[in-house]
Amino acid sequence: MEDLQKDNEVISLKKIIIDYIGQWKLFVACGIISVLLSIVYLAFYPKTYETIARIKIQEDKDLTGGGSLSLGDASGLMRSFGLNSSAAGGINVDDEKVTLLSNSLLSRVVKDLGLDVNYKYPYSIEDLYDETPVFIKLDSAFRANLIKKLDLKISRKVGNIIVEDTKEDKKYQFASLPCEVHLAEGVLSVSENPEFSVKDFSLEVTIRPVSWVAADFSEQIEVEEFSKTSNVLEIFYQDYNQKRAKDLLNRLMSIYNEKNLEVKKKENDETEVFLSHRIDNTVSQLLAVEKSIEEYKLKNRMTDIEYDVQFYAEAMKVYREKIIELEAQNMLINMLDDYIKDPENKYKIIPAVLSTTSGDGENPVSLYNEALLEREKMQKTSNKDNPLAAVLDKQLDKLREGVLVSVSNARKSSEQIMNDLKSKETEILKQMGNVPTYEREYIDLKRQQEILQGVYLILLQKREEIALSNGNQQEKGFITDEAYVNYKPVAPRKLFAAIFIFLFTLVTPVIILFAKKQGEELWQEYRNRNTQI
């Protein structure tokens, strides 16, 4: 029984093959059509090449990390407070890939290169770049008002320039170039290309919103890691116009560096303002203390008390240095606390001059600043109704509370140590019953002076570092390879044409014959039903 079923299947398959062979003319016709279509594809499809660029993402280098700057005791104080160096955060390559393909970054590239304006000759499938006979320049107001695609037709006949708005059916005629066309969106300028002068021409011009063009490029440009162990990113873009592709990738990398420098400069400027304000306050306090010392010496007829109190100065030296460091640290902590609690600074970057560390080794100030930069980045790249904005705001509030708790804990710990040191100092002072009261008071005044001097040197050094950083900023992305074009075209592909010929020649006749057979069976069934009725 099974053998009989297999024989029937073999016979049916042979019958189907014989029936298809009998329709060889249809297969030949489909083959000829597929060959002609492939020839048209290979002949008229523009040769497209892949353009490649490479950029290395670099870490921010702290100027004080190598010990190139030193201002005496300030370096020791800064090491005690954990301010001598700020370790550069690790590079997140995925974040940099998102930044390179962000709409805001690509929009700047589109504006700089004028890629929101497309030129094309009638009945042509290729867009022009720098070979166009005229250029159209758009101002910022025009781009801001443009919310839909604008189709224009520009031609020159017998010396007259005709600009036609095809959708609005409006024509504007000018005697010569350059000229200005006043549209509902604004004013656009039309000027002649001096490097590609044509007597008479006709162009189809399409103007699209910058964000639309940037979104298209975001899908067309590919950014990949060179390897899992490197910080090098490879950028790929395919275009039949090689110059446009190279200009696009080179300008993308250039603007990426410019944007990172702008962000870094803004952060440095805000920190420098903070430091300058604190330096002015510290100088005022230092002058007041020095004046108090001068008045105290005159009142008590002192000359050089250091030699008079040399006996106990050595015994108190160790405690004194530690108390000075703790006093300076308390002052810095109070500065940070006042800055954070100020409502005007709620969503401002906390200056990197101050730092606190939580129990697990993380820096709450750095975490808060990173979250704040993410919030600013999201606000620039998304609309206001984005639900992630509310999540980020809540996260920022929690991180800000963590900073406040960390500052409070640091203050309590410092005060506890301070009280312990002062109690030990008091025990030493009690042993000096013959030391006049004015000597102890003078020590307090001198201690305040040294504390303020230490704080002044710390703040001054950080301000100088920021000033040097602004003057010699390192680019975020080191351009390893400027954009270059691969010599092998990616389109049209002969392999694709061959696959198309093979599939079209075999599949299309089968579909046609199957559809024909099904149609005949349905028609025969329909006729049989009518005959029975």
Side-chain angles (χ1 to χ4, degrees):
M1 191 69 178
E2 292 180 358
D3 294 339
L4 180 61
Q5 185 177 357
K6 290 181 180 179
D7 292 340
N8 292 334
E9 290 177 355
V10 171
I11 294 172
S12 299
L13 182 60
K14 288 182 178 180
K15 184 177 182 302
I16 292 172
I17 294 174
I18 293 172
D19 291 341
Y20 282 148
I21 293 175
Q23 301 291 334
W24 63 271
K25 293 182 179 179
L26 179 59
F27 283 88
V28 172
C30 290
I32 293 172
I33 294 173
S34 64
V35 170
L36 292 176
L37 291 176
S38 298
I39 292 174
V40 171
Y41 163 71
L42 294 173
F44 293 98
Y45 193 90
K47 274 193 175 182
T48 304
Y49 293 86
E50 185 173 60
T51 304
I52 307 169
R54 295 185 179 92
I55 184 170
K56 178 183 178 183
I57 310 302
Q58 304 184 100
E59 295 186 17
D60 294 331
K61 301 297 182 181
D62 186 65
L63 290 174
T64 63
S68 58
L69 293 176
S70 177
L71 293 177
D73 294 337
S75 297
L77 286 172
M78 292 176 70
R79 282 192 295 271
S80 300
F81 303 154
L83 300 174
N84 190 45
S85 63
S86 56
I91 296 175
N92 191 328
V93 179
D94 289 335
D95 288 346
E96 304 308 323
K97 291 166 65 176
V98 173
T99 302
L100 279 167
L101 297 179
S102 64
N103 194 276
S104 60
L105 195 69
L106 287 170
S107 293
R108 290 177 60 175
V109 176
V110 171
K111 291 177 183 178
D112 287 356
L113 299 179
L115 298 177
D116 51 339
V117 183
N118 288 337
Y119 310 89
K120 188 172 66 173
Y121 287 120
Y123 310 110
S124 174
I125 62 174
E126 296 186 25
D127 293 333
L128 304 176
Y129 179 52
D130 54 355
E131 310 89 352
T132 174
V134 295
F135 286 126
I136 292 180
K137 294 184 179 179
L138 311 176
D139 56 13
S140 57
F142 189 98
R143 288 189 167 107
N145 295 329
L146 187 64
I147 58 174
K148 61 180 181 179
K149 186 176 73 170
L150 185 64
D151 294 321
L152 301 176
K153 184 177 180 182
I154 302 177
S155 59
R156 177 161 60 188
K157 298 179 181 178
V158 198
N160 291 326
I161 305 299
I162 301 174
V163 180
E164 181 180 356
D165 188 342
T166 56
K167 289 186 177 180
E168 299 294 333
D169 196 19
K170 293 182 180 180
K171 289 186 179 181
Y172 307 87
Q173 188 168 346
F174 304 93
S176 61
L177 293 175
C179 62
E180 292 185 348
V181 183
H182 295 264
L183 302 176
E185 292 79 5
V187 180
L188 58 85
S189 301
V190 183
S191 59
E192 190 168 5
N193 184 1
E195 299 180 0
F196 194 82
S197 181
V198 178
K199 184 177 181 181
D200 293 332
F201 62 85
S202 179
L203 280 179
E204 294 178 357
V205 180
T206 303
I207 305 175
R208 295 190 296 159
V210 174
S211 60
W212 295 11
V213 183
D216 290 343
F217 280 128
S218 179
E219 297 178 356
Q220 296 167 6
I221 298 174
E222 296 182 6
V223 180
E224 298 179 359
E225 299 177 39
F226 184 79
S227 70
K228 294 298 181 181
T229 58
S230 73
N231 294 330
V232 177
L233 294 178
E234 290 186 307
I235 310 174
F236 303 93
Y237 176 65
Q238 297 180 2
D239 198 341
Y240 49 80
N241 192 307
Q242 300 181 21
K243 187 176 186 306
R244 176 170 56 194
K246 291 194 292 184
D247 289 348
L248 175 63
L249 296 191
N250 286 332
R251 192 59 188 144
L252 176 63
M253 294 186 293
S254 176
I255 292 181
Y256 168 79
N257 282 328
E258 291 175 7
K259 186 174 181 179
N260 278 285
L261 290 177
E262 289 172 3
V263 172
K264 188 67 177 177
K265 188 176 185 305
K266 180 182 177 182
E267 181 181 348
N268 286 346
D269 290 343
E270 291 180 356
T271 304
E272 191 170 1
V273 171
F274 168 82
L275 291 173
S276 297
H277 180 66
R278 294 299 183 270
I279 287 173
D280 293 339
N281 291 342
T282 304
V283 169
S284 300
Q285 296 176 34
L286 186 58
L287 290 175
V289 171
E290 290 176 348
K291 187 175 181 181
S292 299
I293 292 175
E294 181 182 0
E295 293 175 352
Y296 190 80
K297 282 185 175 183
L298 292 173
K299 178 181 176 181
N300 296 284
R301 297 179 183 180
M302 293 180 181
T303 54
D304 195 349
I305 200 170
E306 280 81 2
Y307 292 100
D308 299 333
V309 296
Q310 186 175 6
F311 175 76
Y312 65 88
E314 293 295 330
M316 298 176 59
K317 183 177 180 180
V318 176
Y319 294 113
R320 179 179 169 185
E321 290 177 353
K322 292 181 179 180
I323 291 175
I324 289 172
E325 290 181 357
L326 287 172
E327 289 285 358
Q329 186 175 13
N330 281 336
M331 187 171 292
L332 291 175
I333 291 174
N334 290 332
M335 290 180 185
L336 177 60
D337 188 56
D338 294 339
Y339 182 83
I340 297 173
K341 289 182 177 179
D342 190 349
E344 295 182 357
N345 300 327
K346 184 175 181 181
Y347 290 115
K348 289 185 179 179
I349 292 176
I350 298 177
V353 64
L354 303 171
S355 65
T356 57
T357 306
S358 61
D360 55 0
E362 295 181 339
N363 191 319
V365 175
S366 299
L367 293 175
Y368 179 82
N369 287 340
E370 291 174 1
L372 188 57
L373 291 175
E374 281 294 322
R375 177 178 178 268
E376 291 180 359
K377 187 187 295 182
M378 176 168 290
Q379 287 177 344
K380 292 179 181 179
T381 57
S382 63
N383 54 40
K384 296 181 179 179
D385 298 329
N386 193 334
L388 291 179
V391 175
L392 276 179
D393 288 343
K394 291 182 179 179
Q395 183 182 0
L396 278 172
D397 292 338
K398 291 183 179 179
L399 290 175
R400 189 168 180 266
E401 292 175 2
V403 173
L404 290 172
V405 171
S406 180
V407 170
S408 177
N409 292 337
R411 183 190 293 109
K412 292 178 181 178
S413 176
S414 179
E415 289 175 355
Q416 185 177 358
I417 298 173
M418 175 69 70
N419 292 334
D420 184 56
L421 290 175
K422 285 186 176 181
S423 64
K424 293 180 180 180
E425 183 189 39
T426 303
E427 292 177 2
I428 295 177
L429 290 175
K430 287 180 181 179
Q431 296 175 4
M432 300 184 298
N434 296 327
V435 178
T437 304
Y438 65 82
E439 291 178 346
R440 292 194 298 271
E441 294 175 351
Y442 178 79
I443 292 174
D444 291 335
L445 291 173
K446 195 67 177 176
R447 179 188 300 151
Q448 294 178 27
Q449 182 188 33
E450 292 177 357
I451 290 170
L452 291 171
Q453 286 175 345
V455 172
Y456 172 76
L457 289 176
I458 292 172
L459 298 176
L460 185 64
Q461 180 171 341
K462 294 302 290 187
R463 189 175 69 176
E464 290 301 317
E465 291 172 8
I466 291 173
L468 289 173
S469 177
N470 277 338
N472 187 24
Q473 288 191 351
Q474 175 182 319
E475 291 184 339
K476 180 74 172 179
F478 175 76
I479 300 177
T480 306
D481 285 322
E482 291 189 350
Y484 66 93
V485 180
N486 198 340
Y487 69 95
K488 292 183 178 180
V490 295
R493 299 289 296 273
K494 294 181 180 179
L495 177 62
F496 293 165
I499 293 174
F500 171 76
I501 293 173
F502 178 77
L503 293 178
F504 191 89
T505 303
L506 294 181
V507 176
T508 304
V510 172
I511 295 175
I512 293 174
L513 293 174
F514 179 77
K516 180 181 178 182
K517 183 177 180 181
Q518 293 296 321
E520 290 176 351
E521 291 179 355
L522 291 174
W523 173 249
Q524 186 64 35
E525 183 179 353
Y526 174 75
R527 291 183 61 183
N528 292 337
R529 288 181 180 179
N530 290 339
T531 302
Q532 293 176 1
I533 293 174

